[in-house]
Amino acid sequence: MSYVPSTPAERQEMLSAVGLKDWRELYRDVPPQMLLTKPLNIPHAMSELEASRAMQALAAQNTQFSLILRGAGAYDHYIPSIVKSVPAKEEFLTAYTPYQAEMSQGVLQSIFEYQTMICELTGMDVSNASVYDGATAAAEAAAACRDRKRRVTLISGAVNPDTIETVRTYCYGTNDELRVIPVKDGKTDPDALNELLTEDVSAVIVQQPNFFGLLEDAEALGEIAHAGGAQYVMSCNPIALGILKTPRECGADLAVGEGQPLGLPLGFGGPYLGYMAATKAMMRKLPGRIVGETTDSNGQRAYVLSLQAREQHIRREKASSNICSNEALCALTAAVYLSVMGPNGLAEAARQCMAKAHYLCEQLTKLPGVERVHSGDYFHEFVTTLPKREQVLAALEAEGILGGLPVEGGVLWCATEKAEKAALDRAVEIVKEVLAK
Amino acid sequence: MKLIFEKSVPGRHCDLLGKCDVAAAELPQKYLRATPPELPELSEVDVSRHYTELNQHVHGVNCGFYPLGSCTMKYNPRVDEEMAALPGFTAVHPLAPEAHTRGCRAVLDTAAQYLCEISGMDAMTFQPAAGAHGEFTGVLLIKQYHDARGDTARRKIIVPDSAHGTNPATAAMCGFEVVNIPSAPDGCVDLDALKAALGEDTAGLMLTNPNTVGIFDENILEITKLVHEAGGLCYYDGANLNAVMGVVRPGDMGFDCIHMNLHKTFATPHGGGGPGAGAVGCKEFLKPYLPASALMDGAGKKQVRAFAGNFLVVVRALTYLMTLGCEGVPEAAKNAVLNANYLMQRVKGTFEPAFDRICMHEFVLDLSEYKKETGVSALDVAKSLIDYGMHPPTMYFPLIVHEALMLEPTETESKQTLDWAADVFRKLYALGKTDSETMHAAPHHAQIGRPDEVKAARNPIVRWYNDSETETVRGAGN
């Protein structure tokens, strides 16, 4: 099956219309010795039924856990039903970037609304239409902050390691330096930040809550960054922003983050959603698509792709980023999620995540040898020591529970609003049983 | 259409989570935001109808012809969506242990195997999330290769002037100096210009083949040989792979690495701009430089995003490849090329192709003469097509053709659709000669009239503000 509608007779008719005898003549510019002479070494065509069976068999090889206590950048939240059905609508699904505003108002308006929601979450003035994920959003932010004199990026050691390595790779690309700010008791060390802040530092990147789940003293870090003449970039969990101080309130110039918690499935890592928002002063430094409001030839409100003079198709090698395709459908998903949650629903999700995580932490740390590794306030993730770590995690997995992520010094646990008390109690019971053996 | 915020009613909400069954945890006030975000307050029916209305103002591939050149807007099979929505895939945490993620790993391994075979490469990564991201990943392979050999004087990447803007932008993001070389009159690489650009400072060449004017460069083996002889590597931009998959392989053309757009060539939907997936393949000697995830695979490698990439997009592409099989892959390519040639032939005699010869999967019309004669521009024709329910072709690209319209019909359009499209072009050609005013003012029956883009750029309004807020916080622009 190749989804080609034309019949063999029609194909022949079309070939004749072009003045050709057979399809080989279509490829007459290809040096003949390069043409493949035997079929590709991939399986024969399957019917839809057969392919569907084959894929279902692959899906069945994965474990579906009844309780996921692992986060570390990918979070198992409840996804309301409508959040799945809206982005599955075929027009949203099969359109491309809304280059032609006259037949893309639906996509453009949905992006404009998404931009507004991200601005509301972060307190910022302007948001782009999305980048690939939270890690690339941080890397793009680092690039957006650079100028001729200030080239060095500082990133907290308490940022997600995948984000740090992505930013490091982008810095390798442009031959710029990345310095990692040391961590003290799980949080960005302000004194170390102060020492690293030389005159060539362009941006300071921190994560809130950080990789260990801890809440950074974000305002204080921002003040230090600004005192050193650097821009301040905060990468925030968007569900936490339902209750936490906005990056703007913390003094950030750019707010970025991983939008996956906003209604996107875990999906073995993607597609996810990088959100990026900025103060008005940084608007023209933002990479990627931005939708703006204008009027049409009849004077009616209309939406268009705007400020395109920043982008690669206009500026080519002088563009700040090469991004073209983004994660528009994921941004739409996030917008639908935020629309049905509303301000109260989002805050409730955030509070429930926190409540469940704190309950889990209290119960776990009652067990012998299980202690919190850090002392600070936390949101929905925390690190504990864990004796017999491998056995404990295996015992949990055997009962359909994905335990926390093994990290240096213990385990990084996470709980979301999906975790029922009874399920958390059972998980703690299993840990207790293994430790008692 | 009203904005979703304009439909908000204070106090309205959906009941989604239920009561919390453990004690609340409190945070010190210093961490908490002063006011809640101003998100819409709506019931589920409000949200459903809002997005249904927006969806009715979108033209997708499922609505009709979408010959947007270089974007390969082919039909997106529904079964691919169903497979990507299987809970066995969607519910998998990327950091779950290997023993619990065998199915996901098998999807990636199998897709890698098929795509290596199609591209003629030896290894593959799915970490890049889109085509441009794949370019970045691929050119970083070239950079790492030269760096590892201590060959750090290689500072330049050669890019033809017909290239997509992402190519030079990518080279710059990888720290290279971009050398733009002019194309030959036939739109292909000018061998003399290439030779003149090559030297000890050449890191590599970025090339699409077929190129952006839809022509297969018959000198391709000579081109890649010249670059290799100069010590550079060859990067294949897979934007146009749909023309040749299963017929000829980039690896056999002499390329060292490649990205493929799964959202173009392998039929995964474009989603209004994304997500895509930019699988990057390379020859064995570049394999050590492929990116990985610090959390999934341990530190020490380059990394271009979190985790393993847009996995659920790969699920769709693999399903598609399974249904096509070894027979369907070249069949799709051949019919993509046939459809393009047929449409070009049917339009010819009115708007003229920029290069009048057998094309690959797409072709470019050059309207510069027509514009001189009638005053009707490529933009006017594009906007007029909208009134017929056809998505306009790519406009004003490639830059080497003035008044360009670039059409890529893809293999999933029928002869009837192509005949209809050709008739529409012929009608508009005639209309422009007698009534250019109608075309300057097009579209006439669309969702909106032509938008004022200059106004949007000069006075940027990029988010909604509640009217009750004061003027001082309104508007992101000046």
Side-chain angles (χ1 to χ4, degrees), chain A residues 350-419:
Chain A
R351 281 191 291 264
Q352 289 201 16
C353 286
M354 215 170 72
K356 307 278 178 164
H358 283 72
Y359 177 76
L360 176 64
C361 183
E362 280 158 24
Q363 300 305 311
L364 282 173
T365 51
K366 283 178 188 166
L367 304 177
V370 184
E371 284 167 27
R372 271 194 76 198
V373 168
H374 310 116
S375 58
D377 294 309
Y378 62 98
F379 179 61
H380 70 341
E381 288 180 282
F382 57 93
V383 181
T384 68
T385 55
L386 185 64
K388 301 187 189 174
R389 184 167 77 178
E390 305 316 313
Q391 291 104 299
V392 169
L393 293 175
L396 288 167
E397 285 159 26
E399 291 216 24
I401 299 168
L402 180 62
L405 182 74
V407 292
E408 204 185 317
V411 167
L412 174 63
W413 300 91
C414 174
T416 70
E417 78 284 3
K418 270 179 83 175

Side-chain angles (χ1 to χ4, degrees), chain A residues 232-274:
Chain A
Y232 185 41
V233 180
M234 283 180 72
S235 173
C236 301
N237 179 319
I239 290 210
L241 288 180
I243 54 172
L244 290 188
K245 215 166 240 184
T246 66
R248 185 58 164 278
E249 287 171 309
C250 299
D253 301 286
L254 279 164
V256 299
E258 176 51 69
Q260 179 272 333
L262 303 175
L264 293 162
L266 291 168
F268 199 56
Y272 288 176
L273 165 68

Side-chain angles (χ1 to χ4, degrees), chain B residues 129-161:
Chain B
H133 206 207
E135 291 178 31
F136 175 64
T137 308
V139 175
L140 280 186
L141 296 179
I142 294 175
K143 181 169 176 138
Q144 291 177 79
Y145 169 78
H146 291 311
D147 281 358
R149 291 158 48 94
D151 204 355
T152 50
R154 296 191 176 274
R155 307 293 319 135
K156 292 180 179 170
I157 290 275
I158 300 169
V159 178
D161 60 1

Side-chain angles (χ1 to χ4, degrees), chain B residues 24-47:
Chain B
E26 301 297 335
L27 281 179
Q29 196 61 36
K30 64 172 180 174
Y31 295 118
L32 303 179
R33 62 188 294 157
T35 53
E38 194 167 337
L39 298 171
E41 295 180 75
L42 298 163
S43 67
E44 188 169 319
V45 64
D46 300 327
V47 173

Side-chain angles (χ1 to χ4, degrees), chain B residues 46-340:
Chain B
D46 300 327
V47 173
S48 172
R49 287 189 181 153
H50 177 73
Y51 283 104
T52 298
E53 187 186 13
L54 292 189
N55 188 56
Q56 283 163 349
H57 290 77
V58 179
H59 179 89
V61 175
N62 70 309
C63 302
F65 195 36
Y66 209 132
L68 187 64
S70 104
C71 297
T72 315
M73 302 301 289
K74 62 170 78 177
Y75 177 69
N76 311 125
R78 293 304 305 188
V79 66
D80 304 354
E81 295 308 303
E82 195 181 325
M83 296 305 107
L86 290 173
F89 292 132
T90 59
V92 182
H93 195 287
L95 300 175
E98 204 163 328
H100 297 285
T101 55
R102 290 212 177 94
C104 291
R105 289 165 198 275
V107 166
L108 294 176
D109 290 347
T110 310
Q113 194 189 321
Y114 293 2
L115 291 175
C116 280
E117 171 68 8
I118 289 168
S119 60
M121 295 291 156
D122 300 316
M124 191 77 41
T125 175
F126 291 103
Q127 200 170 57
H133 206 207
E135 291 178 31
F136 175 64
T137 308
V139 175
L140 280 186
L141 296 179
I142 294 175
K143 181 169 176 138
Q144 291 177 79
Y145 169 78
H146 291 311
D147 281 358
R149 291 158 48 94
D151 204 355
T152 50
R154 296 191 176 274
R155 307 293 319 135
K156 292 180 179 170
I157 290 275
I158 300 169
V159 178
D161 60 1
S162 61
H164 296 119
T166 50
N167 287 180
T170 296
M173 274 176 78
C174 295
F176 289 112
E177 191 184 319
V178 179
V179 182
N180 290 295
I181 56 167
S183 302
D186 63 359
C188 294
V189 171
D190 182 329
L191 288 179
D192 291 332
L194 175 64
K195 281 177 197 159
L198 286 168
E200 286 176 357
D201 55 0
T202 301
L205 167 76
M206 295 180 83
L207 197 66
T208 51
N209 191 30
N211 61 24
T212 58
V213 298
I215 293 170
F216 191 95
D217 201 315
E218 57 187 358
N219 297 319
I220 190 62
L221 290 172
E222 175 73 9
I223 292 165
T224 52
K225 188 169 148 243
L226 285 170
V227 174
H228 286 149
E229 279 171 1
L233 298 185
C234 298
Y235 179 82
Y236 184 92
D237 177 331
N240 297 339
L241 187 68
N242 203 47
V244 295
M245 61 173 179
V247 177
V248 54
R249 310 193 307 172
D252 299 337
M253 299 178 202
F255 287 94
D256 304 293
C257 49
I258 174 178
H259 86 264
M260 287 171 273
N261 299 288
L262 303 191
H263 51 292
K264 296 181 181 177
T265 318
F266 302 103
T268 74
H270 284 70
V280 166
C282 66
K283 291 287 176 71
E284 191 65 36
F285 75 101
L286 290 175
K287 193 177 166 186
Y289 310 117
L290 286 174
S293 154
L295 283 170
M296 294 175 83
D297 314 298
K301 295 271 190 179
K302 294 285 179 272
Q303 170 159 11
V304 296
R305 59 150 279 174
F307 307 124
N310 283 349
F311 172 76
L312 296 175
V313 177
V314 182
V315 168
R316 291 170 171 94
L318 179 59
T319 310
Y320 175 75
L321 276 170
M322 282 179 172
T323 55
L324 260 63
C326 59
E327 304 89 349
V329 170
E331 189 191 350
K334 289 167 193 173
N335 282 283
V337 173
L338 177 58
N339 277 0

Side-chain angles (χ1 to χ4, degrees), chain A residues 115-134:
Chain A
Q115 289 174 182
T116 304
M117 292 179 197
I118 293 299
C119 287
E120 281 295 325
L121 282 184
T122 56
M124 291 292 173
D125 303 316
V126 53
S127 155
N128 69 11
S130 73
V131 294
Y132 310 131
D133 73 342

